[in-house]
Amino acid sequence: MSVPHAKLPAWAEYGLIPLVNLAVAFLISGLVVLIVGESPLEAAYHMINGAFGRGEYIGFTLYYTTTFIFTGLAVAVAFHCGLFNIGGEGQAYIGGIGVALACLAFDRTLPWYLVFPIAVVGAAFFGAIWAMIPGWLQAKRGSHIVITTIMFNFIAASLMNYLLNKVFKPLGSMSLETRTFEAGGQLPKLDWLMSIFGLSVGSAPFNISFLLALVAAFGVWVLIWRTRLGYEMRTMGHSPEAARYAGIKEAKIIVIAMMISGGLAGMMALNPIMGEQFRMQLDFVQGAGFVGIAVALMGRSHPAGIIPAALLFGMLYQGGAEISFEMPSISRDMIVIIQGLVILFAGALEHMFRPAITRIVLGLSPKARDVAATKGA
């Protein structure tokens, strides 16, 4: 095996390469800030301070992080099965219907801790069913998963528009949203968690769905690396031919993987609907499904990498708002450019520095050289 494609140690594969890509992305972002006549160091200060400077800012950062953990996990599960699920946006929309139905039905009669599990099941079920259709089309009809999931995003957006306008909108209201949920449909904030560190969550919508996201991350790790189903999914992702030879039912695994992926994407809706808005509004997803792709790529489709990657994008969202406020010459569009550069180097150009890093790492590590030589033999 040639050195550029040799297997790297875990610390280099999951730590060094993402850090190098991230550093280059921020370096180029600094040049963009410099071009518009502002100080990159000052922008970096405002971003970090805006994301972590106060308890309230941290609360907002972790609120965004929660959303991106769900969508990142959704993309990662599909990745492991060799599927590129770009439909997280639409699956989150449809998952929101499950959340809204649970809250509208029980928010006036049940406490939040009973409505919450019902909403979790509803979100996961609706998201899974929506993702099952492209999975079935891929498995049974050969329709490319990328094409079908993209189209289903548009269908989901149109369906959401119709339902909010014709079904869920209260009589006499002009806004495309449901009624505001009562106490049973509102998730409590994690004030007690922040208070452990002497911080106050303030007005930030940092809520209990964050803990659910961490549980989901652990569940995905167990599923992918500690179960037979996860082994079959990884086998399918690495080599469909080997999976078929081993007797793994390809169509079944594809459909199940997409349903799990869609269920995780659907659960993202819990955070904004029950944790912040207390109603279902149009466009509540706000691009989180697409950010999940970058989160999964940066996190190497591993929950241990997805959580810090989601935190990074949470920092970019919250810190970017602070930069726009403190430095008016850097518009929100400039923040989107910075986020795009991170996505570019974490995703599309992920292998740009791999050959050089591989040569350096294998040159410094005799053990790594031996492993590479063994695998290349």
Side-chain angles (χ1 to χ4, degrees):
M1 179 180 290
S2 61
V3 172
H5 300 286
K7 182 176 177 61
L8 288 170
W11 64 267
E13 178 70 33
Y14 300 106
L16 181 59
I17 291 181
L19 285 176
V20 170
N21 290 331
L22 185 61
V24 173
F26 279 121
L27 179 62
I28 297 178
S29 300
L31 294 176
V32 173
V33 172
L34 197 61
I35 290 173
V36 299
E38 294 287 353
S39 168
L41 294 179
E42 184 181 356
Y45 167 77
H46 287 306
M47 174 168 286
I48 295 174
N49 181 66
F52 304 110
R54 291 169 49 185
E56 185 175 11
Y57 298 163
I58 296 174
F60 275 106
T61 299
L62 292 177
Y63 165 77
Y64 294 123
T65 299
T66 302
T67 294
F68 299 146
I69 289 175
F70 281 121
T71 55
L73 291 172
V75 175
V77 168
F79 274 169
H80 282 293
C81 194
L83 303 169
F84 197 1
N85 179 15
I86 311 185
E89 195 87 357
Q91 291 147 23
Y93 267 128
I94 301 303
I97 297 175
V99 177
L101 288 174
C103 292
L104 292 172
F106 301 110
D107 65 331
R108 291 171 173 168
T109 56
L110 298 177
W112 73 267
Y113 52 83
L114 293 180
V115 176
F116 184 49
I118 298 173
V120 170
V121 173
F125 176 77
F126 275 73
I129 293 299
W130 194 253
M132 180 189 72
I133 304 172
W136 183 86
L137 291 172
Q138 164 90 11
K140 296 295 187 178
R141 293 291 182 264
S143 303
H144 201 289
I145 201 74
V146 172
I147 304 300
T148 53
T149 50
I150 288 176
M151 291 193 300
F152 269 63
N153 284 339
F154 290 100
I155 297 173
S158 299
L159 179 62
M160 178 62 65
N161 198 321
Y162 172 82
L163 290 176
L164 283 175
N165 190 37
K166 300 294 185 180
V167 180
F168 291 120
K169 185 177 69 172
L171 187 64
S173 173
M174 298 297 291
S175 301
L176 291 180
E177 59 185 30
T178 66
R179 65 168 175 83
T180 301
F181 304 144
E182 302 295 335
Q186 302 180 13
L187 295 181
K189 295 182 180 181
L190 290 178
D191 303 86
W192 60 268
L193 181 60
M194 300 292 284
S195 64
I196 294 175
F197 304 96
L199 300 171
S200 172
V201 72
S203 63
F206 179 44
N207 61 79
I208 201 170
S209 63
F210 174 73
L211 301 180
L212 178 65
L214 298 181
V215 172
F218 177 74
V220 168
W221 176 79
V222 172
L223 168 69
I224 299 299
W225 283 279
R226 291 294 183 271
T227 66
R228 176 178 176 178
L229 175 60
Y231 176 79
E232 292 177 341
M233 288 168 57
R234 285 185 289 125
T235 303
M236 182 68 65
H238 283 297
S239 175
E241 293 79 10
R244 287 191 289 268
Y245 182 79
I248 296 174
K249 297 179 180 179
E250 182 177 6
K252 174 184 174 182
I253 296 301
I254 289 174
V255 172
I256 291 176
M258 282 300 296
M259 291 184 70
I260 296 172
S261 177
L264 288 165
M267 289 165 64
M268 167 265 157
L270 295 160
N271 192 32
I273 292 179
M274 292 188 71
E276 181 196 15
Q277 302 165 359
F278 307 133
R279 56 189 179 275
M280 186 171 69
Q281 297 176 312
L282 193 65
D283 297 331
F284 69 86
V285 181
Q286 296 183 338
F290 296 114
V291 175
I293 298 172
V295 169
L297 288 170
M298 179 168 283
R300 295 298 189 274
S301 298
H302 194 291
I306 287 172
I307 293 174
L311 179 62
L312 168 67
F313 278 91
M315 181 195 76
L316 290 174
Y317 266 61
Q318 172 59 22
E322 183 72 8
I323 291 178
S324 298
F325 180 77
E326 296 290 344
M327 305 174 72
S329 59
I330 300 180
S331 65
R332 188 65 189 174
D333 292 333
M334 293 288 295
I335 304 303
V336 173
I337 290 174
I338 294 174
Q339 295 169 355
L341 287 170
V342 174
I343 293 173
L344 177 66
F345 282 93
L349 302 180
E350 187 262 334
H351 295 290
M352 174 180 287
F353 303 105
R354 180 181 291 272
I357 292 175
T358 302
R359 285 192 294 269
I360 294 172
V361 170
L362 296 187
L364 295 177
S365 173
K367 180 179 179 181
R369 283 201 307 269
D370 294 340
V371 171
T374 302
K375 288 185 175 293

